[in-house]
Structures are given as structure tokens and as C-alpha cells.
Amino acid sequence: EVQLVQSGAEVKRPGESLKISCQGSGYNFTIFRLAWVRQRPGKGLEWMGVISVGDSDMRYSPSFQGQVTFSIDTSINTAYLHWTSLKASDSATYFCTRGGGGTFDPWGQGTPVTVS
Amino acid sequence: QSVLTQPASVSGSPGQPITIPCTGTSGDIGSYNYVSWYQQHPGKAPKLIIYDVTQRPSGASYRFSGSKSGNTASLTIAGLRAEDEADYYCTSFTRANSLHLVFGGGTKLTV
């Protein structure tokens, strides 16, 4: 079964750093893209960026460029989303999702992040 | 700042069909057959229900269907059921940004 499993909920203070993870299983991790998506409380979905896992090409949405950093560790089929200095406005649920062509499926269960 | 436009909410009665439109431009929906639809129940991850405009993945209900005309894609749900009550998001390939991806703002379906 193809699965993406994300790390658990986080509660942080403004200015702290954070790295959340997304581990893939049940497929060849390196031949698909992986995207990060933000969903603020009560709001819609926002593409944060896309990683081409095989060549480590990382593209950030302009709204997130410079605000977050993506990284991957193909030895453990895991992608990471990193903040160096969190803000209250970063409070949201973050999803990872596997991409092939224009289709993204499946999705991780989501990681709620609270910054307060 | 969604580029694809969806109605904020729609409602229907059990057993009735309903259609949710997703309007883009010639730079996205109008030029590419890479429209997907996702269903999201409260507190859950989005679930793919339609891809490539009309294709239904295994595991998605046969009551979901997709179509496109010009710059507008549509999701139709036949025979509404209580469990269809959820948020629905469209997404499309776009040449408007470097990610080549754009979401609609989402539609809350009330059954």
C-alpha cells in the first residue's frame, strides 16, 4: 500500500525552529514528486512547493520562498519541511502529497502546527 | 489568492445531483487536461476523487464525475448522500507560476 506518514502535532513559540517530516512507503520514493500544502484553520489549501525527489530539484511558491526550506533523505524515503524562526501566522496543518504528472495522491495525514 | 474560482458553498438534498464549477483561464483549465478534484472531510486529509478532468481513481465513488468546457471544469455528484457533505477543491496545471499548480478556493457542500 502506498502511504505517506507525517510526524505528529507540534506546539512551538514564535521565533523557534521546527522541522516536520513525511515518510513514504510502498513505492519507489525517488521517481515521484512530493509537494507540501498548507491549510490554515478554516481556510483552503495552498501549494507551498514541489520537490522532484530524483534530482532534488525544489520549487517554492512565491508566498513561501525564503520562509521555509525543503529537504529530503532518500536513504529513509523521507521529506522534511523546515522553519528557522516560526511566526504565529505559520499556525496551520501541513500536508505532504505524492505527485505524478498533474495528479497528487495519496496525501499524508497532516501535521498540525501551533505557534503561540 | 486562489486563481481558480469556486462557489464558497452549495447545498442539495439526498438523492439529488449537484454540480460544482471551477473557473480558471486559458492559462490553466482552458489549455490543459490536468484538472483534479479533492474531497476533504473535517479534520481529514484531502482525498483524490477525479484526475485528468474526467478520470476516477480506484476507491472513488462511481457517483463522482468530472467534465470541462472552455475555462471551466465541473464536478458532478449523482445521488447525493449524507457522507458527501465535505469541502471540495479543484486544482489545475497552470503556466502562471513556477510550480505549475493552482488550487481553487474550495466549496463547502451541505447535504
Side-chain angles (χ1 to χ4, degrees), chain A:
Chain A
E1 178 194 7
V2 175
Q3 246 187 330
L4 295 173
V5 177
Q6 298 184 230
S7 49
E10 300 276 1
V11 179
K12 292 288 190 179
R13 297 195 183 279
E16 292 186 331
S17 65
L18 175 65
K19 182 182 279 190
I20 64 174
S21 66
C22 167
Q23 185 172 44
S25 62
Y27 72 100
N28 186 333
F29 190 69
T30 62
I31 67 171
F32 288 85
R33 297 185 296 165
L34 196 138
W36 286 100
V37 175
R38 182 176 76 177
Q39 187 170 41
R40 284 175 162 155
K43 301 298 183 183
L45 303 171
E46 302 173 84
W47 295 110
M48 300 177 68
V50 179
I51 306 166
S52 295
V53 177
D55 61 9
S56 297
D57 177 58
M58 301 185 190
R59 301 190 178 196
Y60 296 83
S61 168
S63 300
F64 295 93
Q65 182 79 49
Q67 307 303 309
V68 297
T69 304
F70 305 145
S71 61
I72 51 174
D73 185 342
T74 56
S75 69
I76 54 172
N77 290 353
T78 300
Y80 300 96
L81 174 58
H82 183 220
W83 294 260
T84 56
S85 181
L86 286 161
K87 311 179 191 68
S89 57
D90 293 319
S91 295
T93 296
Y94 295 87
F95 295 99
C96 62
T97 177
R98 184 188 75 163
T103 301
F104 286 83
D105 181 62
W107 291 56
Q109 82 275 22
T111 296
V113 173
T114 302
V115 184
S116 177

Side-chain angles (χ1 to χ4, degrees), chain A residues 33 35 37 39 43-50 59-63 95 101-105 107-110, chain B residues 1-2 34 36 38 40 43-48 51-52 57 87 89 91 97-105:
Chain A
R33 297 185 296 165
V37 175
Q39 187 170 41
K43 301 298 183 183
L45 303 171
E46 302 173 84
W47 295 110
M48 300 177 68
V50 179
R59 301 190 178 196
Y60 296 83
S61 168
S63 300
F95 295 99
T103 301
F104 286 83
D105 181 62
W107 291 56
Q109 82 275 22
Chain B
Q1 70 246 40
S2 305
Y34 291 124
S36 298
Y38 297 89
Q40 186 182 33
K44 300 295 188 181
K47 176 187 174 184
L48 179 70
Y51 68 98
D52 293 351
D87 293 324
Y89 294 91
T91 186
N97 61 56
S98 61
L99 293 185
H100 301 302
L101 292 167
V102 61
F103 272 120

Side-chain angles (χ1 to χ4, degrees), chain B residues 9-82:
Chain B
S9 63
V10 296
S11 63
S13 301
Q16 287 185 334
I18 199 155
T19 296
I20 300 173
C22 169
T23 301
T25 70
S26 58
D28 39 68
I29 293 175
S31 294
Y32 304 100
N33 289 325
Y34 291 124
V35 177
S36 298
W37 289 89
Y38 297 89
Q39 177 192 59
Q40 186 182 33
H41 287 106
K44 300 295 188 181
K47 176 187 174 184
L48 179 70
I49 56 174
I50 293 289
Y51 68 98
D52 293 351
V53 179
T54 61
Q55 303 302 301
R56 193 172 54 246
S58 59
S61 171
Y62 67 94
R63 297 181 298 105
F64 295 118
S65 63
S67 62
K68 187 181 88 165
S69 177
N71 296 337
T72 299
S74 297
L75 171 71
T76 297
I77 308 173
L80 279 174
R81 298 178 180 175

